[in-house]
Amino acid sequence: LETVDRLRREGLEVALCLDVTGSMKPALESARAELDNLRVILGDLIGSFRMGLVAYRDQVVLKHNLSANLRSLRKSLYKVKAASGGDRAEGPDKALLCALTELSWRKPANKSVVLIGDAPPHGRDRKLFQGLARFAADHRVRIHALMPRGSVSEFQDAAKVSGGRIM
């Protein structure tokens, strides 16, 4: 109850960083299907909240700023198609950088990034990814790791460093 009261007072902002390569098509379809349920649940619990989206492959392919307008977010989810991929590494570092520095976070809000993917950053980008996790922690942004097709150790480490959860 204490957490719910805090979220009602301070607000909640959630950025989804979603890998939209071909292997993640089921996760993209699930995000589309569950967005309305999430809106109802969070709305009932805490009232107002804002959500954003950063869709990525090797690079960011779509950014939707934090907003209370989930209809607009849903439209953005339907604009992006699951495609490409094929290599083992993708660009979650670029998505996380975009989410942390380009979305319009409100200062007093409880901030979370939900990192959804099945591939780590490219080797040359792993140190950047680790640094971004520490940056998130320093700025009170929790990173939650959702890995639908196995575990990505970099995602797990980011969640641990920032006080997030691993799902």
Side-chain angles (χ1 to χ4, degrees), residues 13-15 66 96 99-101 105-107 109-114 132-144 158-164:
E13 298 188 334
V14 178
L66 293 160
L96 186 55
L100 293 173
T101 64
W105 299 95
R106 293 181 182 158
K107 280 224 187 263
N110 292 275
K111 302 168 198 70
S112 290
V113 171
V114 180
L132 289 169
R134 287 189 298 277
F135 177 86
D138 291 345
H139 289 84
R140 297 183 55 223
V141 178
R142 288 192 173 135
I143 299 171
H144 305 286
K160 288 176 188 170
V161 164
S162 67

Side-chain angles (χ1 to χ4, degrees), residues 17 32 38 61 102 112 122 130 150 163 167:
C17 288
R32 290 171 177 158
L38 186 61
V61 296
E102 295 182 32
S112 290
H122 293 276
Q130 293 167 350
M167 299 171 261

Side-chain angles (χ1 to χ4, degrees), residues 11-80:
L12 174 65
E13 298 188 334
V14 178
L16 303 176
C17 288
L18 178 60
D19 175 346
V20 292
T21 55
S23 65
M24 293 295 294
K25 185 176 182 180
L28 175 60
E29 291 171 352
S30 180
R32 290 171 177 158
E34 295 301 326
L35 188 61
D36 286 331
N37 291 335
L38 186 61
R39 178 187 56 79
V40 169
I41 291 166
L42 289 176
D44 284 350
L45 282 174
I46 61 172
S48 70
F49 62 95
R50 298 188 327 148
M51 288 187 73
L53 170 69
V54 179
Y56 70 94
R57 294 185 186 108
D58 282 328
Q59 303 291 328
V60 171
V61 296
L62 183 137
K63 175 182 80 171
H64 182 96
N65 206 0
L66 293 160
S67 170
N69 182 348
L70 294 192
R71 285 190 181 121
S72 177
L73 178 63
R74 183 185 306 107
K75 285 180 185 177
S76 290
L77 273 170
Y78 277 94
K79 282 181 188 175
V80 69

